[in-house]
Amino acid sequence: MKLIGVDIGGTFTDLILADVAQQQTWIHKVPTTVHDPSIGMIQGIQTLCQMAQADYGDIEHVLHGTTIATNTLLTHDGAHTGMITTEGYRDIVHIGRHQRPQHYSIMQDIPWQARPLVKRRDRKVVPERLDPKGQVLTPLDEDAARTAILELKQAGVESIAICFLNSYFDSRHEDRVAELAQELFPEAFITTSASIFPQFREFERFTTTCINAFVGPKVKRYLQNLSRSLKEQSVRGELHIMRSNGGVATAEVAGEQPVTLLLSGLAAGVLGGAAAGERSLRSRLITFDMGGTSTDIGIVTERGFAEATARDTWIAGYPVMVPMIDVHTIGAGGGSIAYVDDGGAFRVGPRSAGAEPGPVCYDKGGTEVTVTDANVVLNRLDPEHFLGGEMAIYPDKAFAAVQALADRVGLDLYETAAGIITIVNNNMANAIRSRTIQKGQDPRQFALVAQGGAGPLHAAEVARSLGIPEVIVPRYPGITSAIGLLTTDLKHDLIQNEFTLSTHPNLGKLNADLQALEDQVKDQLRADGFSEDQMSLQRFADCRYVGQGYELRALVPNGDLDEAALQSVWQQFHDLHTAEYGHAFPENPVELVTLRVTGTGPMPKLAGLPVPTEGDVKDAWLKTAVTYFRVNGQLEKYSTSFFERDLLPSGGAIEGPAVIFQKDSTILLPPHSHTTVEANGNLLIRLAAESLADKRVAMEVTA
């Protein structure tokens, strides 16, 4: 069985082909074709199959992580969208919750007002109303609904979001309007809020539905074109798309619910990092995925992946109410641009040179200094070994550009380059602090997993600034997200709002609702081709103290619930509250707000990665040259050894400073660090306290 994983990022498209039976893998990276990402993906698959001497017909599954939905939202380049909502609620998506994103700013940007997903003139209302229990207060006016649909059709919308009050409890009115829309406007992309995630909180639910409608047509066209292109290449394997919840879905399901793809590739990166950490027997991990445009931070503990909550799930400034792995992204990558702002401050990012035109050293038209150019100047990247020697870089271009910036900021060439690295490293360290220290987690108790094309180049210095003692560099760090695609399963999430109190639980209703959710999940998995004995179900309850605004998720035991089972849920919630906030109130009543059932169907998985062979570290040595490091506040020259990772033997050890080349990334060992090559193929970097002892250059070495 042969599997292909493809993750398309802002700069590079990463691919892996795994032959599960033979336990062989091949990897490849190609520049992302920004105008149509599927072109680069198909070209990469063609090259990968040539490398593996594999026929397209032998590929049984293609798993894909995509940024198409995310980029559509970030660039606000989605469909002309209309909305049909309950009379009196036309402006919910504009008003929001009367919360200012920046409390004290008088000139702040409020995305849902400055860049509305649906313009007010395209928001239509119809008479209808259900109460919070699903009872009809105002019958649906079907004539008004028909009029609204035809007005939107006349206005030229491509997509319609149908969002009614209290439809999370009973979707009958939304479903009927969707039927009318299919009859009167069949070419439109139709989304109902109850079909996306039937959850209370109107502003968040309505906005999530509008996002789905806004990005839907572009995502659906992309997936249809990609599926057709794969068939034209005689790839018979089914296309599956990574979702934000860490599972995959068929292309058809993903095309109908594209809002679930907003963290597609990012979620795969956390999965890949967790798999690498598991190989090194580490369960507490910070995944550090630094690419060309951004850096993505994820947290893994003994309980599994951290999942985003309703109170802090925002993308491009919009609230998103769908299950997703908690991934924090900042604009820091190899392509991040260094500049002097209007106030004279030296800054790096979030603006990026991306794949086109790219860093100055790529010589593709880029003129602004980037993090990659700074690494070239510091001699941490080598033109003979960049992307395995398959992509040319031009150090003289980088030197000239950094020198021009140095003249402007009043520093010398190397101080300017080192300053760029220090700033971007501090930006990334602060992002990690926001996901650990600010949430009650001590980063010193974690290992940092270095991922992405640029992650291993910066991870050790970032880890040292946070007191993190270990860095794990996976076998193929530059394509960790693509690898993560081959470690997951197909996954569906369904929810049911409950609003029941621990003091008066209705066990009969809870058990009936759980059974109904399980039956629905099983039906979806059967439609995906899984038998019941292949299915795995988990049950959860979102709980809060009475009067609280947000919930914490507790695991619900399998089987029929009784008083003892419910007591375990309440105790779990108290424990979670203590872990999250530092205190709990066991004497207070708990409100069970939402039941959730997650169903998974097993997908074929990557069997393993190539492991290092026996040998001598000397066989992997390439050269010795001068690089620059800041130690104890001073920038110094250091004599640095350069190695080829593919030739490093199992058990081999290297003392820093050193640079290790491989096709998909470059690994940096700063002074006072060392790495060991583990038998599983990972590099384990351990960091010592900084000192100025003995590593400084004693003689000039040709750079």
Side-chain angles (χ1 to χ4, degrees):
M1 178 180 291
K2 293 182 173 63
L3 315 173
I4 284 184
V6 184
D7 178 64
I8 299 180
T11 305
F12 285 102
T13 294
D14 305 329
L15 305 99
I16 180 170
L17 188 154
D19 187 325
V20 176
Q22 301 297 322
Q23 295 193 16
Q24 292 181 295
T25 57
W26 295 263
I27 68 168
H28 190 47
K29 290 175 78 80
V30 296
T32 295
T33 49
V34 178
H35 65 287
D36 183 354
S38 67
I39 294 175
M41 176 174 171
I42 295 298
Q43 291 173 345
I45 289 175
Q46 291 172 340
T47 303
L48 202 57
C49 288
Q50 291 171 4
M51 293 166 58
Q53 297 183 343
D55 293 328
Y56 299 131
D58 294 337
I59 300 168
E60 297 196 22
H61 291 278
V62 177
L63 299 105
H64 178 27
T66 174
T67 57
I68 189 77
T70 315
N71 291 341
T72 299
L73 186 61
L74 290 172
T75 60
H76 204 74
D77 186 28
H80 181 185
T81 303
M83 178 182 180
I84 299 175
T85 189
T86 306
E87 194 171 50
Y89 288 83
R90 180 185 190 186
D91 293 318
I92 278 269
V93 292
H94 177 87
I95 296 169
R97 293 189 168 275
H98 288 293
Q99 292 175 330
R100 297 159 63 86
Q102 300 170 24
H103 291 299
Y104 305 109
S105 171
I106 61 173
M107 297 183 66
Q108 61 185 291
D109 176 50
I110 301 177
W112 58 88
Q113 295 180 358
R115 297 178 297 282
L117 299 164
V118 184
K119 294 179 180 178
R120 194 172 194 271
R121 63 176 174 267
D122 295 321
R123 300 199 293 265
K124 307 296 181 180
V125 299
V126 298
E128 73 84 35
R129 187 69 177 267
L130 301 176
D131 71 10
K133 298 297 184 182
Q135 300 298 314
V136 177
L137 298 178
T138 303
L140 172 67
D141 187 333
E142 294 194 7
D143 289 337
R146 290 186 179 93
T147 299
I149 293 164
L150 292 173
E151 287 177 351
L152 291 174
K153 184 176 183 179
Q154 183 66 30
V157 304
E158 302 172 68
S159 187
I160 298 176
I162 303 170
C163 307
F164 287 158
L165 195 67
N166 295 325
S167 64
Y168 63 86
F169 197 90
D170 188 324
S171 65
R172 74 182 86 168
H173 286 177
E174 284 191 356
D175 294 340
R176 179 54 184 154
V177 175
E179 290 174 0
L180 293 173
Q182 292 289 355
E183 295 171 9
L184 300 170
F185 194 3
E187 61 270 30
F189 184 92
I190 308 298
T191 301
T192 66
S193 72
S195 69
I196 296 301
F197 211 59
Q199 178 68 283
F200 72 105
R201 296 188 174 106
E202 278 72 28
F203 169 55
E204 289 83 359
R205 175 163 53 89
F206 285 15
T207 301
T208 301
T209 308
C210 290
I211 292 173
N212 196 77
F214 185 74
V215 305
K218 180 176 283 191
V219 172
K220 192 169 186 176
R221 285 193 297 269
Y222 169 75
L223 294 178
Q224 288 173 341
N225 291 339
L226 180 57
S227 297
R228 185 168 54 252
S229 296
L230 290 170
K231 285 184 173 62
E232 289 172 354
Q233 295 295 321
S234 300
V235 176
R236 66 180 177 88
E238 189 173 5
L239 176 64
H240 284 83
I241 311 300
M242 172 61 73
R243 305 169 95 179
S244 303
N245 64 0
V248 296
T250 63
E252 291 75 19
V253 171
E256 294 300 325
Q257 299 180 342
V259 71
T260 64
L261 309 183
L262 288 172
L263 296 185
S264 175
L266 282 63
V270 177
L271 296 175
E278 185 178 353
R279 285 192 288 273
S280 292
L281 305 180
R282 304 299 193 274
S283 59
R284 296 177 64 81
L285 306 165
I286 301 168
T287 61
F288 173 74
D289 193 342
M290 182 180 180
T293 305
S294 61
T295 295
D296 309 315
I297 309 298
I299 305 296
V300 183
T301 66
E302 297 87 346
R303 298 182 69 240
F305 312 113
E307 188 167 296
T309 61
R311 67 180 179 271
D312 56 13
T313 305
W314 299 76
I315 297 179
Y318 301 93
V320 182
M321 191 180 283
V322 293
M324 55 179 64
I325 291 176
D326 188 8
V327 184
H328 182 53
T329 300
I330 64 167
S336 293
I337 292 170
Y339 64 101
V340 178
D341 69 14
D342 293 339
F346 191 6
R347 297 186 181 276
V348 181
R351 194 161 56 89
S352 173
E356 297 174 4
V360 177
C361 64
Y362 287 7
D363 196 25
K364 292 184 177 180
T367 58
E368 296 179 283
V369 175
T370 67
V371 171
T372 296
D373 297 311
N375 277 312
V376 169
V377 169
L378 297 173
N379 201 28
R380 299 174 178 188
L381 292 174
D382 187 274
E384 295 181 6
H385 296 88
F386 192 76
L387 202 61
E390 295 179 5
M391 182 174 174
I393 59 173
Y394 302 89
D396 57 321
K397 303 286 185 182
F399 274 83
V402 174
Q403 184 61 64
L405 181 62
D407 294 341
R408 185 175 180 187
V409 299
L411 298 172
D412 73 20
L413 174 70
Y414 295 103
E415 284 286 356
T416 301
I420 293 170
I421 301 302
T422 298
I423 292 170
V424 77
N425 284 349
N426 284 337
N427 290 344
M428 295 184 291
N430 285 334
I432 293 174
R433 290 186 182 98
S434 74
R435 314 320 285 177
T436 52
I437 296 171
Q438 293 181 22
K439 290 181 174 289
Q441 300 274 13
D442 186 347
R444 295 172 298 182
Q445 297 175 358
F446 288 76
L448 190 70
V449 184
Q451 304 170 206
L457 197 56
H458 293 258
E461 292 180 330
V462 170
R464 175 168 280 159
S465 71
L466 293 164
I468 297 172
E470 294 180 336
V471 174
I472 297 169
V473 185
R475 180 64 186 86
Y476 298 126
I479 62 163
T480 305
S481 291
I483 291 173
L485 293 166
L486 306 187
T487 67
T488 190
D489 294 309
L490 190 140
K491 187 174 179 180
H492 291 294
D493 295 280
L494 289 179
I495 68 166
Q496 171 68 50
N497 290 121
E498 287 294 321
F499 300 108
T500 189
L501 294 177
S502 59
T503 51
H504 300 92
N506 186 334
L507 282 171
K509 185 175 185 303
L510 287 173
N511 282 314
D513 288 344
L514 281 169
Q515 186 61 55
L517 288 174
E518 290 182 355
D519 290 343
Q520 291 177 56
V521 168
K522 288 178 180 178
D523 287 343
Q524 291 188 355
L525 290 171
R526 286 190 195 97
D528 292 323
F530 296 100
S531 60
E532 190 156 343
D533 63 331
Q534 293 177 302
M535 301 175 189
S536 175
L537 303 183
Q538 278 191 305
R539 313 191 304 181
F540 303 91
D542 291 343
C543 303
R544 63 188 181 187
Y545 292 120
V546 174
Q548 281 187 319
Y550 296 100
E551 302 78 44
L552 296 173
R553 182 164 296 132
L555 186 66
V556 176
N558 292 326
D560 285 343
L561 296 180
D562 55 19
E563 290 289 349
L566 268 186
Q567 194 58 46
S568 73
V569 174
W570 311 139
Q571 186 57 52
Q572 258 192 87
F573 169 73
H574 296 312
D575 295 342
L576 289 168
H577 201 281
T578 300
E580 182 77 10
Y581 300 110
H583 59 269
F585 305 99
E587 67 283 358
N588 285 20
V590 177
E591 184 178 27
L592 193 161
V593 175
T594 305
L595 292 175
R596 172 176 165 182
V597 172
T598 298
T600 57
M603 295 289 292
K605 293 182 177 62
L606 180 69
L609 293 171
V611 297
T613 58
E614 300 299 321
D616 195 313
V617 172
K618 294 178 182 178
D619 297 332
W621 180 85
L622 296 171
K623 64 178 181 179
T624 300
V626 167
T627 56
Y628 292 78
F629 294 92
R630 193 181 300 280
V631 177
N632 290 339
Q634 297 295 317
L635 184 65
E636 303 285 350
K637 293 181 179 179
Y638 282 80
S639 179
T640 302
S641 296
F642 290 70
F643 296 88
E644 178 68 47
R645 181 172 185 176
D646 289 344
L647 300 178
L648 289 174
S650 176
I654 298 173
E655 295 288 332
V659 176
I660 302 172
F661 297 125
Q662 63 182 99
K663 178 177 180 178
D664 56 309
S665 189
T666 298
I667 304 153
L668 182 71
L669 298 181
H672 316 300
S673 69
H674 71 275
T675 188
T676 303
V677 183
E678 297 189 304
N680 57 48
N682 289 343
L683 296 184
L684 183 63
I685 300 174
R686 290 190 170 91
L687 303 164
E690 287 183 358
S691 71
L692 293 177
D694 298 336
K695 290 292 182 181
R696 208 171 292 164
V697 168
M699 60 182 179
E700 289 298 320
V701 181
T702 301

